[in-house]
CSV table of all heavy atoms in Angstrom, one decimal:
chain,number,residue,atom,x,y,z
A,1,THR,N,41.0,26.7,-1.8
A,1,THR,CA,39.8,27.4,-1.9
A,1,THR,C,39.1,27.3,-0.5
A,1,THR,O,39.2,26.3,0.2
A,1,THR,CB,38.9,26.9,-3.0
A,1,THR,OG1,38.6,25.6,-2.8
A,1,THR,CG2,39.4,27.2,-4.3
A,2,ARG,N,38.5,28.4,-0.1
A,2,ARG,CA,37.8,28.4,1.2
A,2,ARG,C,36.3,28.2,1.1
A,2,ARG,O,35.7,28.0,2.1
A,2,ARG,CB,38.1,29.8,1.9
A,2,ARG,CG,37.4,30.9,1.1
A,2,ARG,CD,37.7,32.3,1.8
A,2,ARG,NE,36.9,33.3,1.1
A,2,ARG,CZ,36.6,34.4,1.6
A,2,ARG,NH1,36.9,34.7,2.8
A,2,ARG,NH2,35.9,35.3,0.9
A,3,ASP,N,35.8,28.1,-0.1
A,3,ASP,CA,34.4,28.0,-0.3
A,3,ASP,C,34.0,27.0,-1.3
A,3,ASP,O,34.8,26.8,-2.3
A,3,ASP,CB,33.9,29.4,-0.8
A,3,ASP,CG,32.4,29.5,-1.0
A,3,ASP,OD1,31.7,29.7,0.0
A,3,ASP,OD2,32.0,29.3,-2.1
A,4,ILE,N,32.9,26.3,-1.2
A,4,ILE,CA,32.6,25.2,-2.1
A,4,ILE,C,32.4,25.8,-3.5
A,4,ILE,O,32.8,25.2,-4.5
A,4,ILE,CB,31.3,24.5,-1.7
A,4,ILE,CG1,31.6,23.7,-0.4
A,4,ILE,CG2,30.8,23.5,-2.7
A,4,ILE,CD1,30.4,23.1,0.4
A,5,SER,N,31.8,27.0,-3.6
A,5,SER,CA,31.6,27.7,-4.9
A,5,SER,C,32.9,27.8,-5.6
A,5,SER,O,33.1,27.6,-6.8
A,5,SER,CB,30.9,29.0,-4.8
A,5,SER,OG,29.7,28.9,-4.1
A,6,ALA,N,33.9,28.3,-4.9
A,6,ALA,CA,35.3,28.5,-5.4
A,6,ALA,C,35.9,27.2,-5.8
A,6,ALA,O,36.6,27.1,-6.9
A,6,ALA,CB,36.2,29.2,-4.5
A,7,ALA,N,35.7,26.1,-5.0
A,7,ALA,CA,36.2,24.8,-5.3
A,7,ALA,C,35.6,24.3,-6.7
A,7,ALA,O,36.3,23.7,-7.5
A,7,ALA,CB,35.9,23.8,-4.2
A,8,VAL,N,34.3,24.5,-6.9
A,8,VAL,CA,33.7,24.1,-8.1
A,8,VAL,C,34.3,24.9,-9.3
A,8,VAL,O,34.7,24.3,-10.3
A,8,VAL,CB,32.2,24.3,-8.1
A,8,VAL,CG1,31.5,24.1,-9.4
A,8,VAL,CG2,31.5,23.4,-7.0
A,9,ALA,N,34.4,26.2,-9.2
A,9,ALA,CA,35.0,27.0,-10.3
A,9,ALA,C,36.4,26.6,-10.6
A,9,ALA,O,36.8,26.4,-11.7
A,9,ALA,CB,35.0,28.5,-9.9
A,10,VAL,N,37.2,26.4,-9.5
A,10,VAL,CA,38.6,26.0,-9.7
A,10,VAL,C,38.7,24.6,-10.3
A,10,VAL,O,39.5,24.3,-11.2
A,10,VAL,CB,39.4,26.2,-8.4
A,10,VAL,CG1,40.9,25.6,-8.6
A,10,VAL,CG2,39.5,27.7,-8.0
A,11,GLY,N,37.8,23.7,-9.8
A,11,GLY,CA,37.8,22.4,-10.3
A,11,GLY,C,37.5,22.3,-11.8
A,11,GLY,O,38.1,21.6,-12.5
A,12,TYR,N,36.6,23.2,-12.3
A,12,TYR,CA,36.3,23.2,-13.7
A,12,TYR,C,37.5,23.8,-14.4
A,12,TYR,O,37.9,23.2,-15.5
A,12,TYR,CB,35.0,24.1,-14.0
A,12,TYR,CG,33.7,23.5,-13.6
A,12,TYR,CD1,32.7,24.3,-13.2
A,12,TYR,CD2,33.5,22.1,-13.6
A,12,TYR,CE1,31.4,23.8,-12.9
A,12,TYR,CE2,32.2,21.6,-13.2
A,12,TYR,CZ,31.2,22.5,-12.9
A,12,TYR,OH,30.0,22.0,-12.6
A,13,ALA,N,38.0,24.9,-14.0
A,13,ALA,CA,39.1,25.6,-14.7
A,13,ALA,C,40.3,24.7,-14.8
A,13,ALA,O,41.0,24.7,-15.8
A,13,ALA,CB,39.4,26.9,-14.0
A,14,LEU,N,40.6,23.9,-13.7
A,14,LEU,CA,41.8,23.1,-13.7
A,14,LEU,C,41.5,21.7,-14.2
A,14,LEU,O,42.4,20.8,-14.1
A,14,LEU,CB,42.4,23.1,-12.3
A,14,LEU,CG,42.8,24.5,-11.8
A,14,LEU,CD1,43.4,24.3,-10.4
A,14,LEU,CD2,43.8,25.1,-12.7
A,15,ARG,N,40.3,21.4,-14.6
A,15,ARG,CA,39.9,20.1,-15.1
A,15,ARG,C,40.0,19.0,-14.1
A,15,ARG,O,40.3,17.9,-14.4
A,15,ARG,CB,40.6,19.8,-16.4
A,15,ARG,CG,40.4,20.8,-17.5
A,15,ARG,CD,41.3,20.5,-18.7
A,15,ARG,NE,41.3,21.7,-19.6
A,15,ARG,CZ,40.4,21.9,-20.6
A,15,ARG,NH1,39.4,21.0,-20.7
A,15,ARG,NH2,40.5,22.9,-21.3
A,16,ALA,N,39.8,19.4,-12.8
A,16,ALA,CA,39.9,18.4,-11.7
A,16,ALA,C,38.6,17.7,-11.6
A,16,ALA,O,38.5,16.6,-11.0
A,16,ALA,CB,40.3,19.1,-10.4
A,17,ILE,N,37.5,18.3,-12.1
A,17,ILE,CA,36.2,17.7,-12.1
A,17,ILE,C,35.6,17.8,-13.5
A,17,ILE,O,36.1,18.7,-14.2
A,17,ILE,CB,35.2,18.3,-11.0
A,17,ILE,CG1,35.0,19.8,-11.3
A,17,ILE,CG2,35.7,18.1,-9.6
A,17,ILE,CD1,33.9,20.5,-10.4
A,18,GLY,N,34.6,17.0,-13.8
A,18,GLY,CA,34.1,17.0,-15.1
A,18,GLY,C,33.3,18.3,-15.4
A,18,GLY,O,32.6,18.8,-14.5
A,19,ARG,N,33.6,18.9,-16.5
A,19,ARG,CA,32.9,20.1,-16.9
A,19,ARG,C,31.5,19.8,-17.4
A,19,ARG,O,31.2,18.8,-18.0
A,19,ARG,CB,33.7,20.8,-18.0
A,19,ARG,CG,35.0,21.4,-17.5
A,19,ARG,CD,35.7,22.2,-18.6
A,19,ARG,NE,36.9,22.8,-18.1
A,19,ARG,CZ,37.7,23.6,-18.8
A,19,ARG,NH1,37.4,23.8,-20.0
A,19,ARG,NH2,38.8,24.1,-18.2
A,20,PRO,N,30.6,20.7,-17.0
A,20,PRO,CA,29.2,20.5,-17.4
A,20,PRO,C,29.0,20.7,-18.9
A,20,PRO,O,29.8,21.4,-19.6
A,20,PRO,CB,28.4,21.6,-16.6
A,20,PRO,CG,29.4,22.7,-16.4
A,20,PRO,CD,30.8,22.0,-16.3
A,21,VAL,N,27.9,20.2,-19.4
A,21,VAL,CA,27.6,20.3,-20.8
A,21,VAL,C,27.2,21.8,-21.1
A,21,VAL,O,26.3,22.3,-20.3
A,21,VAL,CB,26.4,19.4,-21.2
A,21,VAL,CG1,25.9,19.6,-22.6
A,21,VAL,CG2,26.7,18.0,-20.9
A,22,PRO,N,27.8,22.4,-22.1
A,22,PRO,CA,27.4,23.8,-22.4
A,22,PRO,C,26.0,24.0,-22.8
A,22,PRO,O,25.4,23.1,-23.4
A,22,PRO,CB,28.4,24.2,-23.5
A,22,PRO,CG,29.4,23.2,-23.5
A,22,PRO,CD,28.8,21.9,-22.9
A,23,LEU,N,25.4,25.1,-22.5
A,23,LEU,CA,24.0,25.4,-22.9
A,23,LEU,C,24.1,26.7,-23.8
A,23,LEU,O,25.1,27.4,-23.7
A,23,LEU,CB,23.1,25.6,-21.7
A,23,LEU,CG,23.0,24.4,-20.8
A,23,LEU,CD1,22.2,24.8,-19.5
A,23,LEU,CD2,22.3,23.3,-21.5
A,24,ASP,N,23.0,27.0,-24.4
A,24,ASP,CA,22.9,28.2,-25.3
A,24,ASP,C,23.0,29.5,-24.4
A,24,ASP,O,22.1,29.7,-23.6
A,24,ASP,CB,21.6,28.2,-26.1
A,24,ASP,CG,21.4,29.4,-26.9
A,24,ASP,OD1,22.4,30.2,-27.2
A,24,ASP,OD2,20.3,29.6,-27.3
A,25,PRO,N,24.1,30.3,-24.6
A,25,PRO,CA,24.2,31.5,-23.8
A,25,PRO,C,23.0,32.5,-24.0
A,25,PRO,O,22.7,33.2,-23.1
A,25,PRO,CB,25.5,32.1,-24.3
A,25,PRO,CG,26.3,31.0,-24.9
A,25,PRO,CD,25.2,30.1,-25.5
A,26,GLY,N,22.4,32.4,-25.1
A,26,GLY,CA,21.3,33.3,-25.4
A,26,GLY,C,20.0,32.9,-24.7
A,26,GLY,O,19.0,33.6,-24.7
A,27,ALA,N,20.0,31.7,-24.0
A,27,ALA,CA,18.8,31.2,-23.3
A,27,ALA,C,18.6,31.8,-21.9
A,27,ALA,O,17.6,31.6,-21.3
A,27,ALA,CB,18.9,29.7,-23.2
A,28,VAL,N,19.6,32.6,-21.5
A,28,VAL,CA,19.5,33.2,-20.2
A,28,VAL,C,19.6,34.7,-20.3
A,28,VAL,O,20.4,35.2,-21.1
A,28,VAL,CB,20.6,32.6,-19.2
A,28,VAL,CG1,22.0,33.1,-19.6
A,28,VAL,CG2,20.3,33.0,-17.8
A,29,CYS,N,18.8,35.4,-19.5
A,29,CYS,CA,18.7,36.9,-19.6
A,29,CYS,C,19.0,37.4,-18.1
A,29,CYS,O,18.1,37.2,-17.3
A,29,CYS,CB,17.4,37.4,-20.1
A,29,CYS,SG,17.3,39.2,-20.2
A,30,LEU,N,20.1,38.0,-18.0
A,30,LEU,CA,20.5,38.5,-16.6
A,30,LEU,C,20.9,40.0,-16.8
A,30,LEU,O,21.4,40.4,-17.8
A,30,LEU,CB,21.7,37.8,-16.1
A,30,LEU,CG,21.6,36.3,-15.8
A,30,LEU,CD1,22.9,35.7,-15.4
A,30,LEU,CD2,20.5,36.0,-14.8
A,31,LEU,N,20.6,40.7,-15.7
A,31,LEU,CA,21.0,42.1,-15.7
A,31,LEU,C,22.5,42.2,-15.5
A,31,LEU,O,23.1,41.3,-14.9
A,31,LEU,CB,20.3,42.9,-14.6
A,31,LEU,CG,18.7,42.9,-14.7
A,31,LEU,CD1,18.2,43.6,-13.4
A,31,LEU,CD2,18.3,43.7,-15.9
A,32,ARG,N,23.1,43.3,-15.9
A,32,ARG,CA,24.5,43.5,-15.7
A,32,ARG,C,24.9,43.4,-14.2
A,32,ARG,O,25.9,42.7,-13.9
A,32,ARG,CB,24.9,44.9,-16.2
A,32,ARG,CG,26.4,45.3,-16.0
A,32,ARG,CD,26.7,46.7,-16.3
A,32,ARG,NE,25.9,47.7,-15.7
A,32,ARG,CZ,26.0,48.1,-14.5
A,32,ARG,NH1,27.0,47.7,-13.7
A,32,ARG,NH2,25.2,49.0,-13.9
A,33,GLU,N,24.1,43.9,-13.3
A,33,GLU,CA,24.4,43.8,-11.9
A,33,GLU,C,24.4,42.4,-11.4
A,33,GLU,O,25.2,42.0,-10.5
A,33,GLU,CB,23.3,44.6,-11.1
A,33,GLU,CG,23.4,46.1,-11.3
A,33,GLU,CD,22.6,46.6,-12.6
A,33,GLU,OE1,22.0,45.7,-13.2
A,33,GLU,OE2,22.7,47.8,-12.8
A,34,GLU,N,23.6,41.6,-12.0
A,34,GLU,CA,23.5,40.1,-11.6
A,34,GLU,C,24.7,39.4,-12.1
A,34,GLU,O,25.4,38.7,-11.4
A,34,GLU,CB,22.2,39.5,-12.1
A,34,GLU,CG,21.0,40.1,-11.5
A,34,GLU,CD,19.7,39.8,-12.2
A,34,GLU,OE1,19.7,39.1,-13.3
A,34,GLU,OE2,18.7,40.2,-11.8
A,35,ARG,N,25.1,39.7,-13.4
A,35,ARG,CA,26.3,39.1,-14.0
A,35,ARG,C,27.6,39.4,-13.3
A,35,ARG,O,28.5,38.6,-13.2
A,35,ARG,CB,26.4,39.5,-15.5
A,35,ARG,CG,25.4,38.8,-16.4
A,35,ARG,CD,25.6,39.3,-17.8
A,35,ARG,NE,24.6,38.6,-18.7
A,35,ARG,CZ,24.9,37.5,-19.4
A,35,ARG,NH1,26.1,36.9,-19.3
A,35,ARG,NH2,23.9,37.0,-20.1
A,36,GLU,N,27.6,40.7,-12.8
A,36,GLU,CA,28.8,41.1,-12.1
A,36,GLU,C,29.1,40.2,-10.8
A,36,GLU,O,30.2,40.2,-10.4
A,36,GLU,CB,28.7,42.6,-11.6
A,36,GLU,CG,28.9,43.6,-12.7
A,36,GLU,CD,28.7,45.0,-12.2
A,36,GLU,OE1,28.1,45.2,-11.1
A,36,GLU,OE2,29.0,45.9,-12.9
A,37,LEU,N,28.1,39.6,-10.3
A,37,LEU,CA,28.2,38.8,-9.1
A,37,LEU,C,28.8,37.5,-9.3
A,37,LEU,O,29.4,36.8,-8.4
A,37,LEU,CB,26.9,38.7,-8.3
A,37,LEU,CG,26.3,40.0,-7.8
A,37,LEU,CD1,25.0,39.7,-7.1
A,37,LEU,CD2,27.2,40.8,-7.0
A,38,VAL,N,28.7,37.0,-10.6
A,38,VAL,CA,29.1,35.6,-10.9
A,38,VAL,C,30.6,35.4,-10.5
A,38,VAL,O,30.9,34.4,-9.8
A,38,VAL,CB,28.8,35.2,-12.3
A,38,VAL,CG1,29.4,33.9,-12.7
A,38,VAL,CG2,27.3,35.1,-12.5
A,39,PRO,N,31.5,36.2,-11.0
A,39,PRO,CA,32.9,35.9,-10.7
A,39,PRO,C,33.2,36.1,-9.2
A,39,PRO,O,34.1,35.4,-8.7
A,39,PRO,CB,33.7,36.9,-11.6
A,39,PRO,CG,32.8,37.8,-12.1
A,39,PRO,CD,31.4,37.3,-12.0
A,40,LEU,N,32.5,36.9,-8.6
A,40,LEU,CA,32.7,37.1,-7.1
A,40,LEU,C,32.2,35.9,-6.3
A,40,LEU,O,32.9,35.4,-5.4
A,40,LEU,CB,32.0,38.4,-6.7
A,40,LEU,CG,32.4,39.6,-7.4
A,40,LEU,CD1,31.6,40.8,-6.9
A,40,LEU,CD2,33.8,39.9,-7.3
A,41,ILE,N,31.1,35.3,-6.7
A,41,ILE,CA,30.6,34.1,-6.1
A,41,ILE,C,31.6,33.0,-6.4
A,41,ILE,O,32.0,32.2,-5.5
A,41,ILE,CB,29.2,33.7,-6.7
A,41,ILE,CG1,28.2,34.7,-6.1
A,41,ILE,CG2,28.9,32.3,-6.3
A,41,ILE,CD1,26.8,34.6,-6.7
A,42,ALA,N,32.1,32.9,-7.6
A,42,ALA,CA,33.1,31.9,-8.0
A,42,ALA,C,34.4,32.0,-7.2
A,42,ALA,O,35.1,31.0,-7.0
A,42,ALA,CB,33.4,32.0,-9.5
A,43,ARG,N,34.7,33.2,-6.8
A,43,ARG,CA,35.9,33.4,-6.0
A,43,ARG,C,35.7,33.1,-4.5
A,43,ARG,O,36.6,33.0,-3.7
A,43,ARG,CB,36.4,34.8,-6.1
A,43,ARG,CG,37.1,35.1,-7.4
A,43,ARG,CD,37.6,36.5,-7.6
A,43,ARG,NE,37.9,37.3,-6.4
A,43,ARG,CZ,37.8,38.6,-6.4
A,43,ARG,NH1,37.3,39.3,-7.4
A,43,ARG,NH2,38.1,39.3,-5.3
A,44,GLY,N,34.4,32.8,-4.2
A,44,GLY,CA,34.0,32.5,-2.8
A,44,GLY,C,33.8,33.6,-1.9
A,44,GLY,O,33.7,33.5,-0.7
A,45,LEU,N,33.5,34.8,-2.5
A,45,LEU,CA,33.2,36.0,-1.6
A,45,LEU,C,31.8,35.9,-1.1
A,45,LEU,O,30.9,35.4,-1.8
A,45,LEU,CB,33.4,37.3,-2.5
A,45,LEU,CG,34.7,37.6,-3.1
A,45,LEU,CD1,34.7,38.9,-3.7
A,45,LEU,CD2,35.8,37.5,-2.0
A,46,GLY,N,31.6,36.4,0.1
A,46,GLY,CA,30.3,36.5,0.7
A,46,GLY,C,29.6,37.8,0.3
A,46,GLY,O,30.2,38.7,-0.3
């Protein structure tokens, strides 16, 4: 990975780092446009 964000995402997915405690998905309200950015940030895109 080229970016720390991507390293965190890959670390969680591959169980190389401890996964965080899940929270209630209904507790957060994001617009579709904001949600679309999450996987891109996780891939390390600028």
